[in-house]
Amino acid sequence: MPAAALTDFSRLCVHTVTTKPWSLETACEQYAKAGVAGITVWRDTLEGRDIAASGKRLREAGLKIVSLCRGGFFPAADAAGRQKAINDNRKCVDEAAALGAPLIVLVCGALAGQPLTESRRQIAEGIAAVLPHARAAGVKLAIEPLHPMYADTRSAVNTLKQANDLAEPFDEFVGVAVDVYHLWWDDQLEAEIARCGRLGKLLAYHVSDWRSPTTDLLLDRGLMGDGCIPLRQIRGWVEAAGFRGCNEVEIFSTRLWATDQNQFLTQIKQAYLAHT
Ligand code: ZN
């Protein structure tokens, strides 16, 4: 059954990349002023900052820190490259802990020319290597399957089934992030969302829309309602699977970044109630 319309912003989270022109401090101030409940922080916004102080600032503004984006990119051509990725992910865990983020979203990586099966093996190995550090820090890892158009270099994990398969053998510190932009087309989506819920691994839910036609493979995501994703239906599945976390608005769009970001945030709130 499709979910009922959302009537308030108590589960609205915005990713800092959605309002990319804003610094972390501006995003903090404007999200709080707009009544946004949560924030997912992208690592680039933390550059040159005291991360613990940034986390404190967000919490004092009344924002819930939902997750840190992003870790991953485990596959590499040689052992040294794979070790470098593991080290960077451990650093990402440290950053999440300092910020006070309970979750890291993993864009798992892929290597053009390397079989996807081998990349998936390296991803599983990478996650296993980072997991003890994440567990000790109390930070969970969410595998985010990416649309197959990114299977060359961004992620060898392209369906929710693959993400569930990958997450299943690990303990509760490894789960999955469901992003409608990447998964809306999959005829197994409803069943795999239900399975993800049964496994206790549905850790995050990201929303945006698929514009038709899409003019850029990365930077042309739409505001909810501006595309063809059945958002209410998918949220219905996610909630039927037991998910009660935030609906995270994650939009990469050169078109929308060029507009007034305060106006854009108002549009996000409208689209959240009308279409999400
Ligand atoms: Zn996402």
Side-chain angles (χ1 to χ4, degrees):
M1 211 169 66
L6 293 156
T7 54
D8 61 49
F9 302 113
S10 60
R11 290 173 57 209
L12 169 61
C13 165
V14 179
H15 282 226
T16 57
V17 74
T18 299
T19 54
K20 194 181 164 94
W22 281 346
S23 67
L24 184 65
E25 292 73 22
T26 305
C28 173
E29 189 184 330
Q30 298 302 328
Y31 292 5
K33 209 164 85 183
V36 172
I39 184 168
T40 278
V41 175
W42 280 59
R43 287 175 86 188
D44 61 292
T45 66
L46 295 172
E47 256 164 49
R49 287 168 172 78
D50 177 329
I51 296 177
S54 295
K56 185 163 176 278
R57 181 184 188 130
L58 295 172
R59 279 185 296 278
E60 281 177 358
L63 294 167
K64 174 183 161 129
I65 302 172
V66 175
S67 60
L68 180 65
C69 274
R70 60 198 184 194
F73 291 101
F74 293 108
D78 54 33
R82 293 192 287 281
Q83 188 56 48
K84 191 164 167 279
I86 289 164
N87 295 345
D88 181 62
N89 278 275
R90 287 181 180 143
K91 184 164 166 275
C92 188
V93 167
D94 294 339
E95 290 174 15
L99 186 67
L103 182 71
I104 292 172
V105 178
L106 300 179
V107 170
C108 289
L111 196 62
Q114 171 167 283
L116 293 170
T117 45
E118 174 57 18
S119 287
R120 284 181 206 124
R121 201 190 58 73
Q122 294 178 3
I123 290 164
E125 229 172 55
I127 291 172
V130 175
L131 185 53
H133 194 64
R135 202 185 286 126
V139 174
K140 293 187 176 186
L141 307 172
I143 298 161
E144 178 174 55
L146 260 53
H147 191 284
M149 70 181 168
Y150 302 120
D152 58 343
T153 55
R154 285 178 183 268
S155 186
V157 181
N158 307 109
T159 64
L160 187 51
K161 180 186 182 297
Q162 288 168 354
N164 282 337
D165 288 348
L166 185 57
E168 190 169 7
F170 292 109
D171 69 9
E172 73 274 19
F173 277 90
V174 178
V176 172
V178 169
D179 185 321
V180 298
Y181 192 78
H182 297 298
L183 301 175
W184 68 277
W185 53 272
D186 184 353
D187 67 357
Q188 297 304 305
L189 187 56
E190 182 179 9
E192 289 296 330
I193 285 174
R195 176 183 167 212
C196 192
R198 279 196 304 277
L199 292 170
K201 294 201 174 288
L202 186 33
L203 301 184
Y205 181 55
H206 298 174
V207 296
S208 61
D209 215 334
W210 184 283
R211 278 159 54 81
S212 185
T214 286
T215 60
D216 187 288
L217 294 183
L218 187 62
L219 302 175
D220 189 35
R221 291 192 189 194
L223 192 61
M224 297 80 75
D226 285 352
C228 57
I229 299 180
L231 287 158
R232 289 265 166 88
Q233 185 175 60
I234 299 176
R235 186 163 60 80
W237 295 338
V238 163
E239 290 176 3
F243 183 74
R244 295 292 177 269
C246 281
N247 301 298
E248 304 181 38
V249 179
E250 183 190 27
I251 301 172
F252 316 120
S253 168
T254 38
R255 184 177 52 87
L256 292 166
W257 289 334
T259 65
D260 178 278
Q261 297 297 285
N262 271 305
Q263 220 163 42
F264 179 35
L265 192 54
T266 302
Q267 289 175 317
I268 288 172
K269 289 170 66 182
Q270 288 164 352
Y272 183 77
L273 298 182
H275 301 289
T276 307

